[in-house]
Amino acid sequence: MDKVLHDAAAAVADIPSGASIAVGGFGLCGIPSALIEALLDHGAADLEVVSNNCGVDDWGLGRLLQAGRLRRIVSSYVGENKEFARQYLAGELEVELTPQGTLAERMRAGGSGIPAFFTATGAGTQVAEGGIPWRYDVEGNVVVSSPAKETRRFTVDGREREYVLEQAIIADFALVRASKGDRHGNLVFRRAARNFNPLAAMCGRITIAEVEELVDPGELDPDQIHTPGVFVQRVVALPPEAAADKRIEKRTVR
């Protein structure tokens, strides 16, 4: 039951090239930065990442992107990363853009054993009809595009609408960051960091959590646990300097 490993390098040591990885965080809030750095040092390449966004040019998943380690990313927003745009338009990176709520539910569904679900989001658009560019070649031609998705009409609350079938996401590994965690893998997230982290933790076959504060089993109030330890296989306690390293994506001052 003790899932604690001595450092981030040991936690990611068996992630192979070609793996799919769900990563928690939103912008730079709640990202598992220590695990991302360890994965960068580890050297795994040709990775498929599922995350709300891809960090910024010099931090978070942007570090793996700059090193050329990412083959494909499933994301909802990529607007703060210039290198991301360059690789995508140059044909170096495959990108599946997904509506944010749909992405969240695809991850949750994967962790809940639900293979697919219908949603109204994207009905009547290219999300359902297909044809969204996923990958270009070096000359700017579209070589991979999104497929058409099954649609069906349902009557919900007295109104008939068209709904789109979306597939659940299950990743080989998941990397998340929590404010507190115990040795059994139970996790608590703090405020805005409770964004995609619980969802990423659910959909990973092997979930690795870096925690800012490690506590003993029984110290966490069961009613306050956001992610039960059943979803978490490995825990890494961050040293104080790493726990305090929380960067700001856009600083606004008066």
Side-chain angles (χ1 to χ4, degrees):
M1 291 294 290
D2 192 337
K3 303 175 181 178
V4 177
L5 281 75
H6 58 83
D7 60 21
V12 303
D14 63 344
I15 296 181
S17 293
S20 59
I21 306 174
V23 181
F26 187 100
L28 297 184
C29 177
I31 63 170
S33 52
L35 291 171
I36 292 171
E37 288 296 305
L39 186 58
L40 178 65
D41 294 338
H42 167 49
D46 198 33
L47 301 170
E48 177 178 359
V49 166
V50 179
S51 181
N52 178 67
N53 58 286
C54 200
V56 294
D57 287 319
D58 61 350
W59 194 240
L61 288 172
R63 297 269 289 154
L64 290 171
L65 187 72
Q66 283 190 327
R69 304 287 180 78
L70 303 186
R71 171 186 60 85
R72 189 175 194 273
I73 184 165
V74 181
S75 187
S76 74
Y77 175 71
V78 296
E80 302 301 326
N81 195 316
K82 294 179 182 178
E83 176 61 13
F84 187 108
R86 188 200 67 76
Q87 289 191 22
Y88 175 47
L89 296 176
E92 300 171 14
L93 182 69
E94 185 172 310
V95 180
E96 180 182 345
L97 288 175
T98 303
Q100 191 171 78
T102 301
L103 178 62
E105 183 62 11
R106 289 179 68 191
M107 296 167 78
R108 192 197 70 83
S112 301
I114 300 170
F117 59 91
F118 280 97
T119 175
T121 303
T125 74
Q126 276 192 298
V127 171
E129 297 162 1
I132 299 175
W134 278 3
R135 191 177 193 107
Y136 295 95
D137 63 17
V138 293
E139 297 178 348
N141 301 305
V142 178
V143 292
V144 181
S145 58
S146 65
K149 298 177 181 177
E150 179 183 343
T151 62
R152 192 178 301 181
R153 300 193 72 83
F154 292 95
T155 300
V156 177
D157 195 25
R159 178 187 177 190
E160 185 181 84
R161 297 179 65 183
E162 186 178 75
Y163 290 79
V164 181
L165 184 68
E166 294 283 357
Q167 303 289 324
I169 291 173
I170 299 176
D172 298 326
F173 293 85
L175 310 180
V176 301
R177 179 169 181 150
S179 174
K180 292 183 180 181
D182 66 19
R183 292 182 174 274
H184 292 173
N186 299 301
L187 305 178
V188 175
F189 304 98
R190 185 175 185 272
R191 296 183 180 177
R194 185 184 171 188
N195 40 53
F196 275 82
N197 275 301
L199 305 170
M202 290 179 69
C203 77
R205 292 187 178 93
I206 297 176
T207 294
I208 309 169
E210 61 180 63
V211 300
E212 297 170 14
E213 181 182 351
L214 179 65
V215 301
D216 289 326
E219 291 190 40
L220 296 177
D221 181 349
D223 286 336
Q224 301 303 315
I225 291 172
H226 299 137
T227 295
V230 68
F231 290 112
V232 180
Q233 284 68 48
R234 303 172 191 172
V235 176
V236 177
L238 295 175
E241 61 274 13
D245 188 7
K246 300 176 183 179
R247 305 194 183 188
I248 297 174
E249 190 168 352
K250 285 187 176 182
R251 185 183 297 275
T252 302
V253 298
R254 292 178 64 184

